[in-house]
Amino acid sequence: MEGGQNRSVAPSYLGWSIFNTLCCCLPLGIAAIVCSCKAQNANAIGESAIAKDASRTAKILNVIGLVCGIILIIIFIALKATQMK
């Protein structure tokens, strides 16, 4: 391949980050959006190492945020179910 075409593009996970911010865990979602934007910007200027690191951080934050959101939803449903009795 010719110069510049061999570099890999790290995923940004921006859509997942926005979903987590709106539906699961606001603080972790905002941090994930910041990392996602950092990954996108680093991809755009060709800084693949920075992009991969930011992408990895965004993914970890999204996984933790999603798990926290699911746990909170389960707790909320359980509390509402026990109040109905």
Side-chain angles (χ1 to χ4, degrees):
M1 292 191 169
E2 293 182 21
Q5 293 179 359
N6 195 17
R7 65 184 167 117
S8 61
V9 177
S12 69
Y13 302 110
L14 185 59
W16 190 10
S17 300
I18 292 170
F19 172 79
N20 275 337
T21 302
L22 297 175
C23 299
C24 296
C25 186
L26 183 68
L28 291 175
I30 291 172
I33 288 175
V34 170
C35 291
S36 295
C37 290
K38 186 176 178 181
Q40 279 185 335
N41 292 339
N43 277 328
I45 61 172
E47 295 286 341
S48 60
I50 294 171
K52 286 179 185 178
D53 186 46
S55 175
R56 182 177 179 272
T57 303
K59 183 178 180 180
I60 290 169
L61 289 171
N62 280 320
V63 168
I64 294 170
L66 185 64
V67 169
C68 288
I70 290 170
I71 289 171
L72 288 174
I73 289 170
I74 291 170
I75 290 171
F76 178 77
I77 290 171
L79 288 174
K80 286 295 181 183
T82 57
Q83 288 177 354
M84 295 172 95
K85 292 181 179 179

